[in-house]
Amino acid sequence: SIALEEFGLPYNTMLVNIGKGDQFKPEFLKISPNNRMPAIVDHDVDGEPMTVFESGAILWYLAEKTGQFLPTDARGRKEVLEWLFWQTGNQGPMAGQLSHFVNYAPAGEEYGKKRYGGEYDRNLGVLEKRLSDREYILGDYSIADIIAFPWVLIAKPLTASLDDFPNVSAWRGRIKQRPAVQRGVNLMKDQ
């Protein structure tokens, strides 16, 4: 939702009730064979609608489609790919595991919280260093920021602190002020 708001694209949100197993229904698996969100269907194409699943792929697809938030030079494109892969291979999975152990693991399960809390902090350290001399991951706001932001936004509910990561905290604050980000974060809050 943040990306669609940032790109200024019209969209409809379709809720998938994972508690009822909607993600395993054949019609959803045609869109997202990994039965995960997010996934999009782009009807604004020639021919059959285009389905795209996985956050990094969706962001790349939309950035290419709109010509926004994606560097045009070879070095910039290489860097945005590195940070997309960093997020999908490190920050996202580690934060997701931390979320599981904070929110769903049986009481007294401390190993998982400690393990993934450490990995979450390690990834914050990677981002902290990257942001030491720039306002955004690539210098200019890009899909690298859009993909990394949500897991930093929810640091407190994950029982993590940004106190040791002032550059990340400032980056988080800058992104939170963007009107499109606010609209995306607040999507469906009244439901």
Side-chain angles (χ1 to χ4, degrees):
S1 60
I2 290 171
L4 291 165
E5 290 290 340
E6 287 283 17
F7 289 119
L9 295 169
Y11 64 96
N12 296 315
T13 302
M14 307 297 290
L15 298 178
V16 177
N17 188 332
I18 60 175
K20 292 183 178 179
D22 288 353
Q23 72 275 29
F24 300 110
K25 290 182 176 178
E27 57 270 22
F28 186 72
L29 291 172
K30 286 181 182 176
I31 299 166
S32 181
N34 194 32
N35 71 335
R36 300 282 191 263
M37 281 63 66
I40 66 169
V41 179
D42 183 358
H43 294 273
D44 186 26
V45 295
D46 292 333
E48 289 293 311
M50 182 83 69
T51 63
V52 189
F53 72 103
E54 296 296 336
S55 300
I58 292 168
L59 287 170
W60 186 268
Y61 175 81
L62 294 174
E64 289 246 306
K65 179 181 178 89
T66 65
Q68 298 178 73
F69 307 114
L70 183 66
T72 56
D73 64 296
R75 184 173 309 279
R77 290 171 76 82
K78 183 246 350 151
E79 286 184 351
V80 79
L81 275 175
E82 289 171 334
W83 287 98
L84 286 176
F85 278 75
W86 167 80
Q87 195 284 331
T88 61
N90 289 278
Q91 184 211 29
M94 296 303 107
Q97 290 299 319
L98 176 58
S99 177
H100 169 80
F101 284 101
V102 166
N103 295 303
Y104 304 107
E109 168 49 65
E110 295 304 315
Y111 174 80
K113 287 180 189 176
K114 184 175 180 182
R115 162 84 170 99
Y116 292 108
E119 282 297 306
Y120 184 83
D121 283 351
R122 183 187 68 76
N123 279 286
L124 287 175
V126 170
L127 195 52
E128 178 72 13
K129 185 174 181 181
R130 178 65 179 189
L131 294 167
S132 67
D133 63 351
R134 62 193 77 216
E135 290 193 359
Y136 297 103
I137 294 173
L138 300 182
D140 292 328
Y141 186 71
S142 73
I143 58 175
D145 300 289
I146 294 170
I147 199 169
F149 171 74
W151 286 115
V152 176
L153 176 65
I154 63 167
K156 188 174 182 178
L158 292 178
T159 67
S161 171
L162 298 181
D163 291 348
D164 293 334
F165 308 100
N167 297 325
V168 173
S169 183
W171 169 82
R172 179 183 182 268
R174 281 189 293 279
I175 294 175
K176 277 181 68 174
Q177 296 305 310
R178 297 178 67 86
V181 171
Q182 292 172 8
R183 289 190 303 273
V185 167
N186 290 322
L187 180 70
M188 307 300 282
K189 282 216 172 161
D190 59 349
Q191 299 288 322

